[in-house]
Amino acid sequence: MSDSPQWDVLWRNVRLATLRDDAPLDARYGELPNGESGALALKDGKIAWIGAASALPRRANAAQEYDGGGRWVTPGLIDCHTHLVHGGNRAREFEMRLEGLSYEEIARAGGGILSTLRQTRAASEDELYSSALRRLIPLLREGVTAIEIKSGYGLDLPSEAKMLRVAQRFSALPLTVRTTFLGAHAIPPEYAGDADGYLNQVIDMMLPALAEAGLIDAVDVFCETIGFSPAQTERVFRAAQAHGLPVKIHAEQLSNQSGAALAARYDALSADHLEHLDEAGVMAMARHGTVAVLLPGAFYFLRETRLPPIALLRQHRVPMAIATDNNPGTSPVTSLLLMLNMACTLFRLTPAEALAGVTRHAARALGLNDAGTLEPGKRADFVLWNIDHPSELSYAIGANPCHQVYVAGKLRTLPAALIDAAASLSLKNTK
Ligand SMILES: [Zn+2]
């Protein structure tokens, strides 16, 4: 059949940042040498061919051809750590703290994580969906094509299931969604003083039910002096393993509990935060291929001063991902591009490391094998940018140079009804 085209789509006149990990050292973004013009061919929603336009096969042909206008193309961005689905927000608490109220006074006024817990439990699924959508839309507009969403503000079976169902509803959009069960986020008020009693519920009742319902892709624990101990964390990890689910951990954010090393021993996909991580922890992560997820938004919002051990992570070749950590208490961030800038300014990552952190390494932190780089066989999730060089994505603050987003090869548009759904609830919520 010599006249049927070999490809569905052929993009010409693009500049490629493939983010492939086998890229040469002088091409940190996986770009072509000497600013050469690139081409990208798609078939069945996947990348079929990618490279210099001059290297295209002589008889290359496609059903449709597009001109990229010389724009840069990167893989779709991946936000690999969020608590996007939650009730209410904590803006009033933020305000009270800046007006001089103490934590105790704020807690007495009903603030803190318990206020989010209360509002999440009280909210209907539609309310949670609309409020999370409001936070998701800016991420989509910046080129996010995959996102991880955690539970952890319900802390009982019906409410955790509700959060996870809402998160999974977003996979009806052109978007890859990964859900993580974070039942071990905090101790709910009905179990105050009885962490182990609550963990029994998490392990014996919630985890099996949620896994059975197909609501979770991974299991996470908040391992911290104000969260769960390493021994308690390990109980949850063993249960996750018994259900065949990969684990993740919030570790070494406020103190060193050696949580990252513990998680690495359970072959965790990622250990996240890591400001207090030591070299033994870094080495354990390197040995087990655990990704370091850095969360500069929370570092900034909490005005932390202790930096994650970037030099050690580099030295031991631990992949570093970056995410928004979108959550109402410590990181009300809805811009992944801003996180690129903060990873560079606050943590001193290079712009190429930062971009790899929201593409290749973020994919790995979610166990997504078909995303994160531009190479043959991967899903055709990519972004066209109005930039002169990929470093601009980390350099600019408050800009959004995203031109177009493609998911599985198709242009993603945000329907007006979706924007309306987000806007109408925002009015209801401000009462
Ligand atoms: Zn988090």
Side-chain angles (χ1 to χ4, degrees):
M1 302 323 221
S2 58
D3 43 12
S4 82
Q6 61 189 130
W7 296 321
D8 300 332
V9 178
L10 176 59
W11 281 89
R12 294 178 186 269
N13 194 18
V14 287
R15 304 188 67 185
L16 299 169
T18 66
L19 275 299
R20 286 178 66 140
D21 58 2
D22 56 359
L25 274 182
D26 60 351
R28 295 177 189 285
Y29 300 95
E31 68 271 37
L32 296 168
N34 309 317
E36 224 183 312
S37 181
L40 177 65
L42 317 178
K43 174 95 180 157
D44 299 329
K46 291 185 176 168
I47 297 171
W49 191 94
I50 185 165
S54 59
L56 268 170
R58 212 156 42 85
R59 302 187 56 191
N61 65 93
Q64 282 179 298
E65 284 205 22
Y66 294 118
D67 183 333
R71 290 186 180 83
W72 279 93
V73 176
T74 69
L77 307 189
I78 299 171
D79 194 353
C80 67
H81 180 140
T82 85
H83 308 253
L84 194 82
V85 173
H86 55 260
N89 66 50
R90 306 244 283 273
R92 275 289 293 142
E93 186 179 319
F94 177 74
E95 185 177 48
M96 284 189 277
R97 200 173 313 143
L98 287 165
E99 287 171 352
L101 268 70
S102 70
Y103 279 95
E104 288 73 21
E105 288 168 310
I106 291 167
R108 267 204 304 280
I113 189 169
L114 288 182
S115 80
T116 302
L117 176 85
R118 220 171 26 248
Q119 294 183 78
T120 303
R121 285 180 175 179
S124 71
E125 263 182 59
D126 284 348
E127 286 168 342
L128 286 179
Y129 179 83
S130 300
S131 70
L133 183 62
R134 244 199 302 165
R135 296 182 280 271
L136 179 61
I137 285 172
L139 293 168
L140 298 177
R141 286 185 168 142
E142 284 187 348
V144 167
T145 55
I147 190 169
E148 185 250 20
I149 303 175
K150 300 175 195 293
S151 70
Y153 290 115
L155 308 185
D156 61 25
L157 180 57
S159 311
E160 290 287 293
K162 177 173 66 176
M163 290 182 75
L164 293 162
R165 278 195 303 270
V166 170
Q168 284 192 344
R169 267 172 76 180
F170 291 120
S171 59
L173 303 173
L175 176 71
T176 298
V177 176
R178 281 289 174 274
T179 53
T180 301
F181 174 49
L182 180 58
H185 190 196
I187 299 162
E190 56 274 22
Y191 282 92
D194 183 17
D196 285 306
Y198 172 61
L199 281 187
N200 292 341
Q201 283 288 299
V202 168
I203 291 165
D204 300 333
M205 200 265 289
M206 294 161 74
L207 176 57
L210 297 168
E212 171 74 15
L215 285 170
I216 47 184
D217 300 306
V219 175
D220 195 348
V221 178
F222 182 52
C223 179
E224 190 54 72
T225 48
I226 59 162
F228 294 90
S229 71
Q232 291 167 335
T233 300
E234 195 160 7
R235 288 185 59 201
V236 178
F237 283 175
R238 264 191 247 115
Q241 221 165 44
H243 287 277
L245 291 165
V247 299
K248 305 172 84 70
I249 189 166
H250 284 67
E252 275 74 85
Q253 180 185 10
L254 308 170
S255 65
N256 183 7
Q257 304 286 312
S258 299
L262 167 68
R265 286 202 297 281
Y266 282 81
D267 293 319
L269 288 172
S270 70
D272 304 30
H273 286 292
L274 304 177
E275 280 81 350
H276 292 258
L277 180 67
D278 60 17
E279 186 161 16
V282 173
M283 289 170 69
M285 291 174 68
R287 258 196 313 279
H288 292 269
T290 298
V291 176
V293 177
L294 307 175
L295 304 168
F299 176 92
Y300 165 82
F301 199 77
L302 294 171
R303 306 176 78 232
E304 296 285 353
T305 52
R306 168 132 180 174
L307 292 165
I310 303 298
L312 283 173
L313 291 165
R314 276 188 192 126
Q315 184 193 323
H316 293 280
R317 298 177 185 282
V318 175
M320 293 181 279
I322 297 160
T324 61
D325 190 16
N326 176 279
N327 79 74
T330 64
S331 190
V333 170
T334 54
S335 170
L336 195 53
L337 291 177
L338 179 60
M339 296 303 96
L340 295 187
N341 178 271
M342 285 191 181
C344 295
T345 53
L346 300 174
F347 295 168
R348 311 310 288 166
L349 263 63
T350 68
E353 285 174 326
L355 190 56
V358 294
T359 53
R360 181 170 82 241
H361 297 155
R364 189 163 157 189
L366 298 183
L368 295 173
N369 299 320
D370 62 347
T373 62
L374 301 177
E375 51 190 305
K378 295 227 176 172
R379 248 166 75 104
D381 289 0
F382 59 92
V383 184
L384 268 70
W385 301 97
N386 294 318
I387 54 174
D388 293 318
H389 190 265
S391 56
E392 279 176 50
L393 298 177
S394 293
Y395 161 79
I397 301 173
N400 182 8
C402 176
H403 176 65
Q404 287 176 332
V405 182
Y406 289 80
V407 173
K410 291 207 172 67
L411 177 65
R412 183 170 71 192
T413 53
L414 299 180
L418 199 74
I419 309 296
D420 286 351
S424 63
L425 204 91
S426 78
L427 291 172
K428 193 175 155 201
N429 267 357
T430 51
K431 270 195 290 200

